[in-house]
């Protein structure tokens, strides 16, 4: 069997660099990577490749085996859902340590608005920090607009907590006045009021495939690189449809709970 070590950088560049450098000094059989600062760790990742250490990345990294969630598919399905409900002023609360981490979500947001013939409205995309308080402040900013957005999509479920608080404090109803959606479908999503529409990553399947690919790489270091994409699922809850009927959603699987 194998001994498992888990290392987290907590979204800190220097800590992430130090963690990766430390891993390089150890006699590890293999590594599963999910770097936050990919573009700033080119030297460390190049060293990892040069030393022929078996590694699988959970984000796309050139020269490594990769298994990733189909973030664009999920984001596009969520936008189709909101547009299908008649929303035309859809806001995006982009609260993240690094804006590049949400590139696929942003790409789906803009491409779906364009495809629907809706003019770009940059003021409806609010960049903020990664905390619930940051999302709360960003949502208040959006609600102060005239006209205000009819739907708000936060790039993860944690930020939706702050968005919902702001909406409730403004005396507005979800989803009658403002619909809210998140992303990741964390355990939090179903416990919020109203329960949150979100996109579920198949985390168990993602982790399982990453380990399977890593074990195969350990056994066959010279084998062809593997690039796999794992589908995601749109989970439709009351924060966007209330007591309505689930619409048709273009995604691998639509779930109403």
């Amino acid at each position: 069997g194998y001994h498992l070590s888990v290392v987290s950088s907590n979204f800190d560049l220097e800590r992430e660099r130090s963690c990766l450098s430390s891993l390089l000094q150890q006699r590890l059989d293999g590594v599963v990577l999910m770097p936050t600062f990919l573009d700033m760790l080119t030297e460390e990742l190049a060293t990892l490749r040069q030393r022929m250490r078996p590694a699988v990345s959970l984000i796309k990294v050139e020269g490594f085996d990769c298994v990733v969630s189909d973030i664009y598919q999920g984001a596009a399905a969520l936008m189709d859902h909101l547009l299908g409900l008649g929303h035309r002023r859809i806001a995006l609360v982009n609260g993240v340590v690094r804006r590049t981490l949400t590139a696929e979500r942003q790409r789906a947001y803009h491409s779906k608005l364009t495809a629907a013939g809706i003019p770009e409205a940059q003021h409806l995309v609010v960049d903020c920090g990664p905390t619930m308080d940051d999302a709360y402040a960003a949502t208040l900013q959006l609600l102060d607009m005239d006209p205000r957005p009819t739907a708000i999509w936060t790039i993860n479920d944690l930020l939706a907590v702050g968005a919902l608080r702001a909406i409730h404090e403004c005396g507005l109803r979800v989803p009658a006045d403002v619909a809210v959606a998140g992303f990741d479908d964390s355990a939090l999503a179903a416990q919020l009021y109203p329960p949150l529409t979100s996109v579920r990553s198949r985390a168990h399947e993602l982790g399982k495939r990453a380990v399977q690919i890593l074990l195969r790489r350990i056994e066959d270091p010279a084998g062809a690189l593997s690039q796999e994409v794992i589908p995601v699922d749109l989970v439709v809850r009351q924060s966007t449809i209330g007591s309505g009927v689930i619409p048709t959603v273009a995604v691998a699987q639509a779930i109403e709970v």
Side-chain angles (χ1 to χ4, degrees):
Y2 290 92
H3 175 74
L4 176 66
S5 296
V6 179
V7 180
S8 174
S9 66
N10 293 320
F11 303 112
D12 181 276
L13 171 59
E14 291 310 314
R15 178 172 171 79
E16 187 160 304
R17 178 173 283 127
S18 175
C19 289
L20 193 51
S21 297
S22 176
L23 290 173
L24 286 169
Q25 304 305 316
Q26 300 177 40
R27 299 183 57 139
L28 299 174
D29 293 296
V31 182
V32 176
L33 299 168
M34 193 173 184
T36 301
F37 301 92
L38 176 62
D39 56 323
M40 299 182 183
L41 297 171
T42 52
E43 183 177 336
E44 288 80 4
L45 292 172
T47 300
L48 186 62
R49 280 194 297 266
Q50 291 166 4
R51 294 184 182 179
M52 297 296 289
R53 295 284 176 82
V56 177
S57 177
L58 299 182
I59 64 173
K60 292 181 180 178
V61 181
E62 186 176 351
F64 287 91
D65 292 309
C66 301
V67 54
V68 301
S69 291
D70 196 343
I71 299 299
Y72 182 85
Q73 175 211 28
L78 180 55
M79 285 297 293
D80 283 339
H81 170 62
L82 294 175
L83 290 165
L85 293 172
H87 295 290
R88 292 298 179 267
R89 294 190 302 279
I90 302 172
L92 177 64
V93 175
N94 192 35
V96 71
V97 175
R98 302 196 70 206
R99 202 170 189 270
T100 54
L101 294 176
T102 59
E104 290 297 276
R105 293 170 175 81
Q106 295 175 63
R107 185 165 70 89
Y109 173 82
H110 292 294
S111 66
K112 285 297 182 179
L113 288 179
T114 299
I118 299 174
E120 290 281 345
Q122 290 300 325
H123 64 283
L124 290 179
V125 179
V126 181
D127 294 325
C128 66
T131 71
M132 291 181 283
D133 286 340
D134 293 325
Y136 170 79
T139 302
L140 289 178
Q141 177 184 331
L142 288 166
L143 297 178
D144 195 45
M145 296 176 181
D146 186 16
R148 64 173 179 258
T150 61
I152 296 175
W153 169 25
T154 63
I155 57 94
N156 62 47
D157 296 344
L158 185 67
L159 296 178
V161 176
L164 287 169
R165 178 163 68 96
I167 293 167
H168 291 317
E169 287 185 5
C170 288
L172 300 172
R173 299 164 297 165
V174 178
D177 298 314
V178 185
V180 178
F183 208 96
D184 296 331
D185 196 39
S186 63
L188 184 69
Q191 304 305 317
L192 294 175
Y193 181 78
L196 185 68
T197 290
S198 190
V199 174
R200 176 181 299 163
S201 297
R202 301 179 185 181
H204 179 80
E205 184 178 350
L206 191 72
K208 181 178 179 180
R209 286 300 298 143
V211 172
Q212 289 172 339
I213 293 169
L214 182 61
L215 293 176
R216 187 175 67 199
R217 175 63 59 195
I218 291 171
E219 294 175 359
D220 182 16
L225 288 176
S226 176
Q227 305 282 328
E228 293 192 12
V229 179
I230 305 298
V232 297
D233 302 304
L234 177 64
V235 183
V236 178
R237 297 189 178 94
Q238 285 85 351
S239 69
T240 56
I241 63 170
S243 58
V245 179
I246 185 171
T248 300
V249 181
V251 69
Q253 183 178 358
I255 306 170
E256 182 181 11
V257 294

